Amino acid sequence: MKHLHHIVRTETRELVLLAGPIALMQVGQISNGFVDVLMVGQLGPASLAGVALGNATYFLFVLVCIGTLMAVGPMVSQAFGADDHDLIGRSVRQGIWLGLALAVPVVFVLWNTAHLWQHMRQDAATIIMAQAYLRAAVWGLLPFLWFIALRSFIEAVSRPWPVTFIILTGVGLNALANYALMFGRFGLPALGLVGTGWATAIVNWFMFLAVLVLVQARPKFCTLAALKHLRRPDLPVIRELLHIGLPIGASYGLEVTMFSAAAFFVGTLGPAPLAAHQIAIQCAAFTFMVPLGIGIATTVRVGQAIGRKEPIHAVWAGYLGMGLAGLFMLCTSILFWVFPRSIVGLFLDLGDPANAITVTIGVSLLGLAAFFQIFDGLQVSAAGALRGFKDTRTPMVICFISYWLLGIPLAATLGFMAGLGAQGFWWGLVAGLFAAACMLGLRFWWRSRRLRGRKQHRNPP
């Protein structure tokens, strides 16, 4: 029992120490989008709707790429636990090549999305603004994917603070660039909504170049030779990255497709409901960054324990990650339920009659967001724990069932057929996330029992 208490105490301390800066990193990264929405809100609901449509499409594709590149994390964490420096470097280098291969087709698709939106019956004026926004933002896509690969490496060796500082600096740069390019300050032209896209591209280049200098200059990273012999692809390692990463990317894609489908569904109702949806989803995404960071830290702790051949540490790291994420989201759900109008007031002038419809819908959607906060935290942390095992294919199937077979059909049924509108679409989100949380949690419980049984370790109480 004393040994078990030591394990729990050790894993709790290490998980919190690692999850803290990673969660802060995630909050900093989403803060760029949060700042964008706050500042674009000053341009009015029409511009806010343009950002909503553009972001829904952008993240639909980019998150698939991010998920695929996140295979670098479990690859490096297990190699780090096993003290295999050669595999660490090979994994990072091939992550860079993979980022390039993913960026080319995604940039092409994002450059030409107007026809897709027209077929989905989106508002014509919103389409024009959203396409212009995307054609500026895509210039920062490639460096952002390279940044993700290098960031995954740094997190996997438990050294997240330097990247956290880089991202937080990027938040300030993004606000400054938005101010200058949106409103025409410091002698620059006033680009309006498009200026937000260019600010995003500038910040992505800054973050990549900063983390590149960090990896090349800091001795703790130089000794791992992460970028040595980068000049040619290593096909066996790329195949392993794809074997692990494609299901992660697909899982992210399935989840974000559900949220994007909700945005597209709401978009058929007009600019005001879409602007309200963007406010509510931005708030939910902001709070989600903390359990996402906890999930990433859980991947690292589970993977390192597997690499060290310490399965009981891996099991407890997974359970503790899920508990910490669920507790945090319980707190945020209370805030959404108690103060929805005040939160909407951060984005829009509550006293302006022109915003009345958007405010009313936004308040109701934040109330629904309170329902799925806990489920969202549990599913992302459970998925992170499973990635530490390199278990990504079954979670992908679970995501398909939860989001495509349950969440999206139910959203369409309640929103269109039952006539519940935006609220009906969001009830579909609640159902999908609830199903994913239950099934991913059960999957981790099953994997844990198998691992402990095989190694003949005592079950945690």
Side-chain angles (χ1 to χ4, degrees):
M1 183 62 68
K2 184 180 294 186
H3 176 63
L4 183 59
H5 286 165
H6 174 72
I7 290 173
V8 173
R9 189 166 56 249
T10 299
E11 285 303 324
T12 301
R13 182 182 66 252
E14 294 299 324
L15 181 64
V16 170
L17 289 175
L18 183 58
I22 294 179
L24 185 59
M25 193 187 304
Q26 292 298 137
V27 170
Q29 199 158 309
I30 197 64
S31 291
N32 287 325
F34 192 78
V35 168
D36 289 347
V37 174
L38 280 175
M39 299 184 75
V40 170
Q42 299 177 38
L43 303 176
S47 294
L48 202 55
V51 168
L53 186 59
N55 274 339
T57 307
Y58 184 84
F59 285 108
L60 173 63
F61 290 97
V62 172
L63 278 178
V64 174
C65 298
I66 291 173
T68 304
L69 289 170
M70 284 183 70
V72 172
M75 287 278 288
V76 171
S77 63
Q78 288 201 15
F80 185 73
D83 202 28
D84 187 346
H85 288 196
D86 178 64
L87 183 56
I88 291 173
R90 292 170 68 194
S91 300
V92 178
R93 291 191 293 273
Q94 301 322 300
I96 297 295
W97 280 108
L98 188 55
L100 176 61
L102 292 169
V104 173
V106 171
V107 168
F108 176 80
V109 171
L110 292 177
W111 194 268
N112 300 281
T113 50
H115 297 299
L116 173 64
W117 292 329
Q118 289 168 359
H119 287 300
M120 300 180 72
R121 298 185 299 168
Q122 301 298 305
D123 179 73
T126 302
I127 289 175
I128 292 172
M129 288 189 288
Q131 184 67 87
Y133 163 77
L134 278 183
R135 288 188 174 179
V138 294
W139 290 100
L141 176 61
L142 177 60
F144 181 68
L145 296 183
W146 282 342
F147 168 77
I148 292 297
L150 294 177
R151 173 192 153 170
S152 296
F153 153 62
I154 292 171
E155 291 168 347
V157 298
S158 300
R159 295 288 186 272
W161 275 113
V163 181
T164 303
F165 176 76
I166 290 170
I167 289 178
L168 293 178
T169 304
V171 174
L173 177 61
N174 181 61
L176 180 63
N178 272 339
Y179 176 72
L181 294 171
M182 285 174 58
F183 304 112
R185 302 293 190 257
F186 312 120
L188 296 172
L191 301 178
L193 178 65
V194 178
T196 305
W198 284 112
T200 298
I202 291 169
V203 170
N204 287 343
W205 274 106
F206 161 76
M207 291 194 302
F208 164 65
L209 293 174
V211 79
L212 179 64
V213 170
L214 174 70
V215 170
Q216 292 289 74
R218 191 156 183 172
K220 290 181 180 178
F221 302 130
C222 288
T223 56
L224 299 174
L227 298 179
K228 188 178 180 180
H229 306 306
L230 183 59
R231 56 186 175 275
R232 65 178 183 275
D234 185 341
L235 294 182
V237 176
I238 289 179
R239 280 195 295 268
E240 178 69 8
L241 286 171
L242 289 173
H243 177 78
I244 299 170
L246 281 177
I248 301 175
S251 298
Y252 276 18
L254 291 167
E255 182 178 359
V256 77
T257 297
M258 182 176 68
F259 283 92
S260 295
F264 295 142
F265 291 163
V266 175
T268 65
L269 305 178
L274 185 57
H277 168 86
Q278 178 63 15
I279 290 172
I281 207 69
Q282 189 68 54
C283 293
F286 187 84
T287 59
F288 175 74
M289 290 301 105
V290 173
L292 177 58
I294 294 170
I296 293 170
T298 304
T299 299
V300 172
R301 292 302 304 166
V302 171
Q304 289 181 354
I306 294 294
R308 295 192 306 267
K309 303 187 185 305
E310 296 177 344
I312 194 65
H313 283 261
V315 170
W316 274 104
Y319 282 129
L320 290 167
M322 285 184 272
L324 188 61
L327 180 62
F328 175 84
M329 291 302 256
L330 174 62
C331 297
T332 62
S333 68
I334 293 172
L335 289 176
F336 282 9
W337 183 259
V338 176
F339 304 109
R341 189 172 177 85
S342 298
I343 293 171
V344 173
L346 296 173
F347 299 87
L348 295 172
D349 181 0
L350 299 178
D352 188 345
N355 297 332
I357 296 176
T358 303
V359 170
T360 300
I361 298 174
V363 167
S364 67
L365 296 184
L366 277 174
L368 289 175
F371 277 93
F372 71 60
Q373 288 284 285
I374 298 173
F375 308 137
D376 210 7
L378 290 174
Q379 66 85 18
V380 74
S381 54
L386 290 168
R387 283 197 295 272
F389 287 111
K390 295 186 180 178
D391 182 1
T392 58
R393 296 201 170 193
T394 298
M396 176 186 66
V397 175
I398 289 173
C399 289
F400 175 76
I401 295 170
S402 301
Y403 305 140
W404 276 51
L405 298 187
L406 177 61
I408 293 176
L410 185 60
T413 300
L414 295 176
F416 291 122
M417 298 178 64
L420 297 180
Q423 290 84 356
F425 302 143
W426 273 60
W427 275 115
L429 302 181
V430 174
L433 292 168
F434 173 76
C438 292
M439 288 190 281
L440 289 169
L442 286 172
R443 173 68 177 177
F444 181 77
W445 172 80
W446 180 78
R447 285 299 305 261
S448 298
R449 284 182 61 87
R450 284 189 62 196
L451 182 66
R452 289 177 297 176
R454 186 166 61 245
K455 297 296 183 180
Q456 297 182 338
H457 278 279
R458 182 174 55 193
N459 290 336

